[in-house]
Amino acid sequence: MKQTVIAIIGPTAVGKTNLSLEVAKQFDGEIISGDSMQVYKGMDIGTAKVTKEEMAGVPHHMIDIKEPWESFSVAEFQTRVKQHIENITARGKLPILVGGSGLYVQAALYDYNFADNKRNITVTRQLVQQMEEEGAAALYSRLKALDPIQAEKTHPNNARRVIRALEIYETTGITMTEWQKSQQLTSPYNVQLIGLEMDREILYNRINQRVDKMINQGLVEEVQSFYEKGYADKPAMQGIGYKELIPYFKHQRSIEESIDTLKQNSRRFAKRQYTWFRNKMEVNWYSLTPENASEKSRLILRDIAGFLKQK
């Protein structure tokens, strides 16, 4: 019999955290973070990490499990989440996966086989050397020519992901996009996918307000503490909310410009999240407005109750 999982997905700032807490309290659940950045210790403000007070006693998993200098792969995320789902189910609780990192959520819910795509260290080293000699832009241009869909989803400065996509092509002869399409899209779980969406203008205003709130909460100081420890080039610092402030500490950009860039990148990220979830998974979408949020929450809770009765 398949284990039951509720997944709550959607773009940044749409209201996933509040809904997940309501669902967990209503159905005796435990929350698994589906955010690729919340795994890092100390990166709290920039990842909009749920606070102890907000948790209100609801167990949360996949938060603060890595140091900022450590790498974290989708494959590791998948393995850990599978174990959490098993453990939560064994305790008689409901696993609730919550997040906006599309590939991570999809990998956790579906049978992606990462074992067939282990790293080829030789090819990786060759690509790193090529990047050092020719620059990151050259490799990104190559990725754009080979796999424009993957290039669209990858920031030009995210060297790790650019190299990984090219490495897959070098070692398998197929693009990252083709490889992802070939993955099994049947879930080993009895899963209900709840998607939250919002009018773009309203969402973008919420994103801008969230960034302003993060700044007031001390985001600049949080990023500065990691920058001063020499973590600027570490994987964790490539996340939105962190990489945009590095030029400020290098005296290459004003704080105002950095904050504007952060808002812009956050809005673009929200757009990419929508695209990913709409194209990749069968989602039950609920459109939220500031006025109907409570009503929609009640509707979602009723729908989940109906889903759980059918299992």
Side-chain angles (χ1 to χ4, degrees), residues 68 75 96 114 127 133 138 140 182 211 229 232-233 259 286 288 298:
I96 305 163
F114 290 99
L127 289 166
E133 292 172 355
Y140 183 76
S182 72
V211 170
K229 289 173 184 173
D233 296 324
I259 293 170
Y286 297 83
L288 305 183
R298 288 193 293 270

Side-chain angles (χ1 to χ4, degrees), residues 43 223 226-227 231-239 242-243 246:
M43 305 190 103
V223 181
F226 290 111
Y227 178 78
Y231 297 162
D233 296 324
K234 300 300 180 184
M237 290 289 274
Q238 302 311 307
Y242 295 87
K243 64 184 177 184
I246 292 174

Side-chain angles (χ1 to χ4, degrees), residues 28-75:
D28 195 18
E30 297 187 17
I31 293 171
I32 305 170
S33 170
D35 187 295
S36 62
M37 290 294 296
Q38 290 188 357
V39 298
Y40 291 111
K41 297 175 184 176
M43 305 190 103
D44 304 329
I45 300 171
T47 65
K49 201 177 287 178
V50 62
T51 65
K52 291 290 183 188
E53 292 73 27
E54 289 168 337
M55 287 181 187
V58 174
H60 281 65
H61 307 279
M62 298 299 288
I63 293 175
D64 295 338
I65 60 171
K66 288 281 184 178
E67 298 294 344
W69 60 83
E70 294 182 294
S71 61
F72 186 65
S73 69
V74 184

